[in-house]
Amino acid sequence: MKTSSIFNPISLRAAFGRTAFATAALAVLSLSNLRAQDSDNPVRFGVKGGLNYSNLYIDQVNDEKGKLGFHAGVFVKAPLSELFAIQPELLYTSAGTRIARYSNIPFVPDGQINFNLNYIQLPVLAVVTLGRVNIQAGPYVSYLIGANVKNVRVDSKGVPTNGGGNDTRELSRSDFNSLDYGLAAGIAFDIKGFQVGARYNFGLREVGTSGVAGGLTKNAKNSVAQLYVGIGF
């Protein structure tokens, strides 16, 4: 008996992607109408990009094992008044962590391990505009599009082991949760058509599924600090 396509993981991933982009497109069209209706506080479109400093946390954030990455994408700032605005964004962003030097970690040979997680992220931020200063806060949802973790020790059959085998395997996207969500907050400054800012993303969902990935991450969540420059139009 064939399994219904509605339960096909590939179909579900494709459906999520279509839904995310359709939502973003509808938001842009709606905000374009607002721009036409309010010439005193026009909607502002822009592109942005910058550096990430990411980590995984369990109870408290500890930056000693952070790793550098980047993010890039587009944003729309829609003023609701002179003071308040809504700013949805669509970004490619990297996350993860590194363990610099370690020993006696299950399934992992002594040395270094990097968790590399890549997401499409959709933050929707409330913005308080105080002159050139923008105070931003709101939720985000992210979809995992790529992942790899190297240096996981395996035996001769490719099964993770605590033994002394020299073979290693990589964890991939299927070992991690596809969806991530959390809260974002930051501050930005408008400078002659540019926006320079800093933001912190606080994940609320565990990144690893059960099995080896869950054991390695130990229910850890994403923690990402960002510095960026944007150009508005």
Side-chain angles (χ1 to χ4, degrees), residues 93-118:
T93 185
S94 62
T97 191
R98 70 178 174 84
I99 302 176
R101 298 297 302 177
Y102 58 82
S103 61
N104 299 322
I105 293 181
F107 311 133
V108 180
D110 295 353
Q112 178 170 301
I113 187 169
N114 290 309
F115 288 83
N116 301 305
L117 307 174
N118 303 308

Side-chain angles (χ1 to χ4, degrees), residues 96-201:
T97 191
R98 70 178 174 84
I99 302 176
R101 298 297 302 177
Y102 58 82
S103 61
N104 299 322
I105 293 181
F107 311 133
V108 180
D110 295 353
Q112 178 170 301
I113 187 169
N114 290 309
F115 288 83
N116 301 305
L117 307 174
N118 303 308
Y119 293 91
I120 296 295
Q121 185 183 80
L122 180 66
V124 180
L125 306 173
V127 182
V128 177
T129 304
L130 303 173
R132 296 184 180 275
V133 180
N134 297 266
I135 301 172
Q136 307 168 338
Y140 73 82
V141 61
S142 298
Y143 182 67
L144 184 67
I145 59 173
N148 73 79
V149 179
K150 299 181 178 180
N151 296 336
V152 179
R153 179 183 289 144
V154 296
D155 61 19
S156 60
K157 297 181 179 179
V159 177
T161 178
N162 286 325
N166 293 322
D167 294 331
T168 61
R169 60 159 285 196
E170 296 184 13
L171 301 181
S172 63
R173 181 185 175 282
S174 61
D175 296 295
F176 296 89
N177 285 316
S178 296
L179 289 180
D180 183 41
Y181 50 83
L183 301 174
I187 188 169
F189 302 90
D190 293 325
I191 305 173
K192 295 182 178 180
F194 292 86
Q195 188 177 85
V196 179
R199 183 180 300 168
Y200 178 67
N201 298 274

